[in-house]
Amino acid sequence: MAKDMDNVNLEEEEELELFEHFSFVVDKGQTLTRIDKFLTDKVANATRNKVQQAIDAGNVLVNGKPTKSNYKIKPLDEIKVFLEKPPRDTEVVPEPIPLDIVYEDDHLLVVNKPAGMVVHPAHGNWTGTLVNGLVYYFNQLPTLPGNTGRPGLVHRIDKDTSGLLVIAKSELAMTELANQFFHHHIDRTYLALVWGEPKEEEGTIVAHVGRSAKDRKVMDAYPDGSQGKHAVTHWKVLKKLRYVSLVQCNLETGRTHQIRAHMKFLGHPLFNDAMYGGDKIRKGTQFSKYKSFVQNCFDLIPRQALHAMSLGFTHPVSKQKLYFEAPLPVDFASVLQKWEEYVTFEK
């Protein structure tokens, strides 16, 4: 019997939102059948070609091991599948939105997304998204199968987070990149300005991330693993500025709001992160001059201070290791400079 394991509706940062997990235990009376035919019949909206591509990418496991398209399933085989979801029916309107393209070839492109831009259309944001711009851009290229409505989207970042995203331009690239995300082979580095100075210089947060029972828009950390999904964030302090710190975060997993929830759990919410309590003074004096300074900083960066600085992965076709960096945007860099000047002046 089929069971949809992780078909969840996540918000921004979960790279698996556009893909589904399925788990099958083959019936005792099942006759020997090629696995690609079996899955084509079992999984809704799955073509044989799409199933075969998932198998070739190592996204179909039989009894815990990758399989081949010609494998014949046996009774009680345990099959796990990682498949791209079908596109939603709503048409995405192409819009001539400027895109900051860092890299592009025949198979993929890397985009530096500005803060304030939603990645794809959803309730309340049907236009002006990165995908609207990509559809317009891709309409000037040959139509690629599987990209209708969401051209090559493999992962996402929050609306108010700036930084790098990789976009696939073919089904092969999408499948291969999705496989790298699935197996945590993508290197992602974020820069965050957080409240306070962590006691340690670096560390690793291992705590499930799941929706808060009090507010479904907010994610909470569950270190006991009682709720949510396994999540791991490696962090390191780059600069201590007395009341705030510049922290580097490397994602091992990519859950919704993972860094924001994990840093709050650590006791150091992101600067001006309204959803996680960072839009209030969490560290410092009560003097009016200091309060005014912090408010000026809030005005300079009216969003959470989080930037997807670097992205590293293996090219889906050439197998070459690629690495990209995006400098801090003006708002983040300006606030960081202000804090540096403030603590220097105070000494």
Side-chain angles (χ1 to χ4, degrees), residues 2-20:
K3 179 177 66 174
D4 186 349
M5 297 170 61
D6 289 312
N7 186 7
V8 290
N9 181 23
L10 300 180
E11 289 180 358
E12 291 296 334
E13 214 166 28
E14 171 60 78
E15 68 268 13
L16 304 182
E17 190 272 341
L18 294 174
F19 299 84
E20 293 176 305

Side-chain angles (χ1 to χ4, degrees), residues 18 50 84-94 120-121 131-132 134-135 138-139 142-153 168-171 174:
L18 294 174
K50 184 168 290 187
E84 179 192 356
K85 287 184 182 179
R88 64 186 180 86
D89 294 333
T90 306
E91 181 184 0
V92 178
V93 179
H120 65 82
V131 163
N132 291 109
L134 287 170
V135 170
F138 277 27
N139 277 350
T143 301
L144 298 171
N147 286 345
T148 305
R150 43 177 168 77
L153 205 61
K169 292 171 62 176
S170 68
E171 284 215 23
M174 177 176 279

Side-chain angles (χ1 to χ4, degrees), residues 26-34 38 72-75:
V26 179
D27 294 336
K28 291 182 179 179
Q30 175 69 45
T31 58
L32 293 178
T33 306
R34 278 177 60 115
F38 174 82
K72 291 186 178 181
I73 61 169
K74 304 181 190 65

Side-chain angles (χ1 to χ4, degrees), residues 101-110 137-138 141 169:
I101 298 175
V102 176
Y103 172 84
E104 181 176 9
D105 61 24
D106 291 340
H107 308 286
L108 58 89
L109 70 157
V110 176
Y137 184 74
F138 277 27
L141 300 172
K169 292 171 62 176

Side-chain angles (χ1 to χ4, degrees), residues 24 60-66 71 74-80:
F24 302 92
V60 177
L61 305 180
V62 177
N63 301 322
K65 296 180 180 180
Y71 173 79
K74 304 181 190 65
L76 301 182
D77 272 349
E78 294 185 5
I79 303 172
K80 292 186 178 180

